[in-house]
Amino acid sequence: MAISRHLGSWKNLAGCTGGLIGLGLHFAGLAGSYWVLVVIGLYGVGALVAPPERVTLVTDPVEEAGALRSELDALVERVRGFRVPDEVAPRFAEIAEVLRGMLDRPRELRADPDALHAVTRLVGTDLPLSVQTYLNLPWWYAAARGSGAELVRQLDLLHADAVRTAERFHAADAQRQADHTRYLEDRG
C-alpha cells in the first residue's frame, strides 16, 4: 500500500519529471558520461521541491463510528470472558447499549463534537482503563481490598456520564417529537 501511494504522490511525479529532463539532457549530449548521476540528481531535486502530500484529518463518520463500535464490542466480550464481580457485566452492557445508540447514528455524532469526544473518551480510555486496572490485580488482592466494589463504582460513574452525553445527543430528537405531538393536537 505504501509503495502504490508513493508511486502516485506529487513527490514521485516531480522526481520523474526531473529524471526525464535528465534523460533529455543526456540525449541532447549535455550530460556527458555522468548522465546517470544527472538523472538521479534531477529526480532527487524534483522530489525535494514537490509539495508534501495533504494530510486528511477528517475520516468518514461511518468508518470512525464502526471502529469505535468494534472496540466497544471487543471490550464487552473481554469483560464477559474474565473474572469480574457478577454485577459488572450487566452494568457494562448497559453502558455499551447507551453508547451504541449514539454510534448507530455516525453522521449526527460527527456533527456533535462534544458527544463525539465523550463517546471516544468513554470507549477508548475510560472503560478500558477501569476494566484493565481491575484485571491487573491478582484475584486475592482484589478480593481483600474490595476492588470489585471500586470497579462497580467506576462503572456507575461512567454510566452516568454516558447517559448525560446521550441525553444531550438525543435532545433535539425528543424536542422534534414533542413539537410534532403539539402540532397533531393543535391540528385536531
Side-chain angles (χ1 to χ4, degrees), residues 3 8-9 21 33 35 39 78-79 95 100 125 137 163 165 173:
I3 292 174
S9 71
I21 291 170
S33 61
W35 70 272
V39 170
R78 193 161 173 236
V79 166
I95 296 169
R100 283 186 192 114
T125 304
L137 298 172
V163 168
T165 301
D173 290 329

Side-chain angles (χ1 to χ4, degrees), residues 11-23 42-43 46:
K11 292 198 172 286
N12 185 50
L13 294 174
C16 288
T17 303
L20 287 174
I21 291 170
L23 280 175
L42 287 175
Y43 175 88

Side-chain angles (χ1 to χ4, degrees), residues 97-110:
E97 192 59 35
V98 170
L99 294 172
R100 283 186 192 114
M102 291 180 280
L103 291 170
D104 286 344
R105 300 175 59 194
R107 298 203 189 289
E108 293 87 348
L109 186 59
R110 168 61 69 75

Side-chain angles (χ1 to χ4, degrees), residues 60-83:
D60 178 36
V62 174
E63 183 181 311
E64 185 177 19
L68 285 170
R69 189 178 183 107
S70 295
E71 193 174 337
L72 179 62
D73 291 343
L75 193 57
V76 169
E77 287 303 313
R78 193 161 173 236
V79 166
R80 285 186 193 140
F82 283 103
R83 52 151 183 86

Side-chain angles (χ1 to χ4, degrees), residues 32-46:
S33 61
Y34 298 108
W35 70 272
V36 173
L37 293 176
V38 171
V39 170
I40 293 171
L42 287 175
Y43 175 88
V45 168

Side-chain angles (χ1 to χ4, degrees), residues 2 12 19 21 24 39 41 49 54 92 122 131 138 141 154 169 185:
N12 185 50
I21 291 170
V39 170
V49 299
R54 285 188 171 176
F92 207 85
L122 283 162
V131 171
Y141 187 81
Q154 288 176 357
F169 180 75
E185 289 171 347

